[in-house]
Amino acid sequence: MDLLPPFDVPATATATALRLRPWTGADLTELARVFPLPGTPGEWLAAETSGRAAGQRQGFAIRARERGRAPRLVGHLVLKTPAAGPCEVGYWTAAAARGTGVATRALRALTTHLHEETDVPEVRLLHQEDNTASCRVAEKSGYAFSHVLPAFPPAFPRDGHVHVRHLTA
């Protein structure tokens, strides 16, 4: 799959505009403040960059674009594109942005782009079974619950949910 360009999610009557773009070194200080990462932000960025270069993942910083303010980091959205198997999406949101619709709006925009501009037949979203907020994001974004994914300790200690969005007729 070709690399996706940065893209915008327009503001609504109740939500600010969003800009989704690849991560850069300029994001690291703010990233360290808004989201706990394993390792250092520099190590995380190196992994994101190498995954993008290898065509295995495309991560995007989600930045809120409020009038009169500098864009602020509110989350992360990733499209995983394995050589075999379906594409997967994942995300996280900064604590201050949770419950504001950021993840749903960003996921909808990415999914719409994939549907309109690529030949990706389906996309999966996986989350821990007890993550009700992610279930709501998946459902609001048109990803139907498919099945329970059994736990696989130690990396995945709890059962998970698999949601699927079919992009072709």
Side-chain angles (χ1 to χ4, degrees), residues 21-23 44 48 52 57-61 76-79:
R21 62 157 177 75
W23 290 91
W44 185 83
E48 282 293 310
R52 188 174 188 85
R57 61 187 295 121
Q58 297 184 53
F60 295 90
H76 165 71
L77 180 65
V78 63
L79 173 66

Side-chain angles (χ1 to χ4, degrees), residues 121-141:
E122 76 176 37
V123 184
R124 294 183 179 187
L125 184 153
L126 288 69
H127 66 82
Q128 224 170 248
E129 184 177 46
D130 60 350
N131 188 336
T132 56
S134 283
C135 251
R136 284 193 305 274
V137 168
E139 291 165 357
K140 288 179 181 180
S141 301

Side-chain angles (χ1 to χ4, degrees), residues 4 26 29 31 39 43 53 55 63-64 66 76 78 84 88 94 97 103-104 121 131 134 146-147 149-150 152 167-168:
L4 301 175
T29 300
L31 175 61
E43 291 168 337
R63 294 186 140 317
E66 297 161 333
H76 165 71
V78 63
E88 292 180 14
T104 300
N131 188 336
S134 283
S146 174
H147 60 279
L149 188 65
F152 192 72
L167 302 180
T168 56

Side-chain angles (χ1 to χ4, degrees), residues 10-138:
T12 68
T14 58
T16 187
L18 302 173
R19 174 79 169 160
L20 282 74
R21 62 157 177 75
W23 290 91
T24 70
D27 297 315
L28 294 183
T29 300
E30 193 174 8
L31 175 61
R33 273 197 323 268
V34 302
F35 197 78
L37 296 167
T40 69
E43 291 168 337
W44 185 83
L45 179 61
E48 282 293 310
T49 303
S50 66
R52 188 174 188 85
Q56 298 169 337
R57 61 187 295 121
Q58 297 184 53
F60 295 90
I62 306 171
R63 294 186 140 317
R65 300 175 69 186
E66 297 161 333
R67 197 177 303 241
R69 295 179 62 184
R72 65 186 170 88
L73 181 63
V74 293
H76 165 71
L77 180 65
V78 63
L79 173 66
K80 299 174 186 175
T81 51
C87 292
E88 292 180 14
V89 290
Y91 65 89
W92 55 255
T93 53
R98 291 184 188 138
T100 65
V102 165
T104 300
R105 293 176 60 229
L107 181 57
R108 283 180 181 165
L110 175 64
T111 304
T112 298
H113 179 85
L114 292 173
H115 176 68
E116 294 175 353
E117 304 293 333
T118 73
D119 59 357
V120 170
E122 76 176 37
V123 184
R124 294 183 179 187
L125 184 153
L126 288 69
H127 66 82
Q128 224 170 248
E129 184 177 46
D130 60 350
N131 188 336
T132 56
S134 283
C135 251
R136 284 193 305 274
V137 168

